Every structure is written in C-alpha cells, then in structure tokens.
DNA sequence: GTCACCTTAGAAG
DNA sequence: CTTCTAAGGTGAC
C-alpha cells in the first residue's frame, strides 16, 4: 500500500530539484539529476491540493535560501513516517544546526543520547530523504575533515562555502 | 547471517 | 607520525 506522492519541481540556480509530498507533508527532496532537466516530473499542478501547493511554496523559498547561504525562516511539515526512531532523532538534531554552524558525527551521537552510535549517525545522514533542508551537509568528521556526502562531496563543499564555513 | 557505510577514540608500531 | 581495531544502527544481498 504505497502512498502515492505528489511530485513537484523546484527550479533553482543550481538546477531543478524535485520535491515529493504525502498527505502529511514534505517526504522527499532530490538533487537535480545530471542531464535530466525536467524529465519524468509532473509539472501539472491541476490536481494538486491547495494544501500541498502552499507547502511547496514554503519548500521553494527555504531551499533557495539555503542554496544562497541564508537562514531559513519556515519549513513545510515534514513527513518522516516509515522511518525509524533513531533516524528521526538524528534528523531532529540536524535541524537544530543553524546556518554557518557545523557539528561532528560524534557530537550528534552524544546529542541524541547514543554517544557510541557515531557510524549509525553517518548512516542516518546518508538515509536522509530531505537533504539541504535537513542540513546533513553541516556535519563534518571530528578532525575537521569533510567526511562524506551521498549527494556528492562537491555539493557539500559548495553549500558550506556559501554559508561561510571554512574546512 | 554477512558486509559495508557520510565515524572515531584509542592502542600499537 | 601511521596503521589497525572495535563499536552501533540499518539496509542490501
């Protein structure tokens, strides 16, 4: 019984992101795919509920703010149903990191009360369905190294640079 | 069940 | 200094 998600594009200076919504809120956000400017994305907004269009407006504003290295004021509701408690607590902790700040994987692990689950935190970051808005890119390795990023290390470096963070 | 992963502190060489 | 190990959560196989 897979809930069908509504797919809407967000055009930014970095390309076209794709946002997917459930009845409960924003469920997923994807980076622009290389070479697929607007392929497979439902651009018709005709059948989309007003509620979701309103969330989408908030998503677009917030996304562009982060891409420009500015602070985000409001986010749409996020739908994390189907995810584990551990992942949700990691993502909650990530959302507390403000623009221009960074944390290490170890700090996140301690913040959620599982100081030894450092690698698991890395795993949860990688499983984050809403990159950029849930700022997994603000998590660095403990020794100041950049660590990894499934969306591409380049992208992580660029986002941090726009926020004024030096590696 | 086994393995790899966006990790890290610590111990050994 | 460098290299190795172990540990926690999760998903892929």
């Amino acid at each position: 019984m897979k809930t069908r998600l509504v797919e809407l594009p967000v055009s930014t200076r970095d390309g076209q992101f794709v946002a997917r919504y459930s009845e409960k809120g924003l469920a997923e956000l994807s980076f622009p795919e290389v070479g697929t400017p607007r392929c497979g994305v439902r651009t018709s907004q005709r059948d989309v509920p007003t509620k979701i269009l309103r969330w989408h407006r908030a998503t677009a504003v917030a996304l562009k703010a982060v891409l420009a290295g500015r602070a985000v004021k409001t986010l749409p509701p996020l739908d994390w149903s189907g995810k584990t408690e551990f992942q949700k607590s990691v993502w909650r902790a990530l959302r507390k990191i403000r623009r221009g700040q960074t944390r290490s994987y170890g700090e996140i692990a301690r913040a959620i009360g599982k100081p030894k689950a450092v690698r698991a935190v890395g795993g949860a970051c990688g499983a984050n369905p809403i990159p950029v808005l849930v700022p997994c890119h603000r998590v660095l390795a403990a020794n100041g190294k950049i660590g990894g990023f499934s969306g591409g290390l380049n992208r992580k470096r660029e986002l941090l640079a726009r926020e004024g963070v030096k590696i």
Side-chain angles (χ1 to χ4, degrees):
Chain A
M1 224 76 45
K2 177 169 174 182
T3 307
R4 191 177 146 127
L5 300 178
V6 176
E7 231 175 29
L8 294 171
V10 188
S11 294
T12 74
R13 61 166 172 172
D14 293 271
Q16 181 181 260
F17 285 65
V18 178
R20 298 186 184 82
Y21 300 86
S22 70
E23 286 305 305
K24 295 178 188 166
L26 176 61
E28 295 174 22
L29 182 67
S30 342
F31 285 111
E33 305 288 332
V34 272
T36 56
R38 47 174 65 194
C39 213
V41 172
R42 187 182 315 284
T43 48
S44 153
Q45 304 192 345
R46 241 164 276 173
D47 312 322
V48 179
T50 311
K51 170 174 82 173
I52 291 182
L53 288 178
R54 194 155 35 79
W55 293 342
H56 189 57
R57 209 169 302 130
T59 299
V61 170
L63 179 57
K64 287 171 189 174
V66 178
L67 292 178
R70 285 187 282 103
V72 172
K73 292 193 174 66
T74 56
L75 284 181
L78 305 181
D79 181 8
W80 285 339
S81 55
K83 306 300 179 180
T84 68
E85 279 310 310
F86 178 84
Q87 290 171 329
K88 287 188 273 194
S89 53
V90 169
W91 300 333
R92 264 194 298 274
L94 293 183
R95 290 186 54 188
K96 291 195 259 177
I97 311 177
R98 291 185 249 164
R99 178 220 94 102
Q101 293 182 72
T102 61
R103 296 285 176 75
S104 71
Y105 294 96
E107 285 172 324
I108 299 295
R110 282 194 293 278
I112 63 176
K114 306 205 170 193
K116 285 179 292 191
V118 249
R119 280 155 88 199
V121 169
C125 287
N128 172 19
I130 311 175
V132 185
L133 297 187
V134 176
C136 43
H137 60 279
R138 292 180 187 147
V139 186
L140 305 181
N143 48 11
K145 283 186 307 206
I146 187 150
F149 193 59
S150 34
L153 280 181
N154 231 14
R155 223 168 230 142
K156 182 169 179 177
R157 272 189 281 265
E158 181 63 26
L159 285 169
L160 289 171
R162 289 178 193 175
E163 297 184 2
V165 175
K166 309 275 194 217
I167 309 295

